[in-house]
Amino acid sequence: MHQSRSADFRRGRRLAKDDRLMHWKKPVSRSKDCPKADFDALPATLELRMLRYRITAPGFRSKEIVVVTTFARPGASPSGSSCRSLLRRWNVELHFREIKTLLAMDVLRCLSPKMIVKELLMHRIAYNLVPRAHATRRHHP
């Protein structure tokens, strides 16, 4: 959740404990990072689902997080499994970011779909080789 928003579980429609259906209003002013055309195209309100979830791991302090998602259908998925799925996806996104940063993949240089697939394959091969070479150097000085 963005720091300017508060997680008030007294507002919105209660779906279950720690599970609310909310309506967020579009900000009055746009940030300088958002183009005017994009800001004007945004709807006046968004229907969102706000879930409070406790992360526990043996040996670590538990942490409470609030997840806000556009996945607003209350009967489709219980809140605990929704949060676990979102956390798994977040970890996948972090791994993709790490791969893109490590291999300087922020821009793909090929133009045709066939060549982009080849470029991605070469990045994948390089990513798999780099950690192995690094691990080998660590174990064999």
Side-chain angles (χ1 to χ4, degrees):
M1 249 176 79
H2 191 271
Q3 64 267 18
S4 68
R5 300 266 184 189
S6 63
D8 187 356
F9 277 85
R10 296 170 295 178
R11 297 179 52 212
R13 192 175 101 212
R14 184 178 196 265
L15 302 174
K17 184 180 185 297
D18 298 330
D19 190 354
R20 293 280 180 167
L21 197 60
M22 308 288 292
H23 286 85
W24 280 3
K25 292 181 183 176
K26 177 175 153 179
V28 177
S29 62
R30 68 179 174 91
S31 73
K32 60 183 174 195
D33 299 331
C34 181
K36 183 174 179 354
D38 291 349
F39 184 78
D40 292 342
L42 293 173
T45 62
L46 280 177
E47 184 179 57
L48 302 167
R49 189 171 177 190
M50 186 167 64
L51 305 158
R52 187 172 17 216
Y53 184 68
R54 188 172 228 26
I55 301 171
T56 57
F60 294 93
R61 291 183 184 163
S62 58
K63 184 176 183 178
E64 189 176 273
I65 62 167
V66 175
V67 176
V68 178
T69 178
T70 55
F71 182 68
R73 293 183 298 140
S77 169
S79 64
S81 68
S82 294
C83 286
R84 282 189 295 276
S85 296
L86 289 168
L87 289 172
R88 274 194 301 268
R89 177 171 174 175
W90 180 253
N91 283 330
V92 169
E93 296 289 340
L94 290 177
H95 286 295
F96 279 136
R97 185 178 71 181
E98 178 187 351
I99 290 169
K100 286 169 57 178
T101 303
L102 181 69
L103 299 175
M105 279 182 56
D106 52 335
V107 176
L108 296 175
R109 286 153 182 82
C110 294
L111 301 177
S112 72
K114 186 177 179 180
M115 290 305 293
I116 288 174
V117 169
K118 288 181 180 182
E119 186 176 358
L120 290 172
L121 180 60
M122 291 308 294
H123 281 291
R124 183 175 175 189
I125 290 169
Y127 181 75
N128 286 329
L129 289 175
V130 170
R132 287 189 186 124
H134 193 70
T136 304
R137 272 187 254 124
R138 253 185 295 161
H139 296 299
H140 304 293

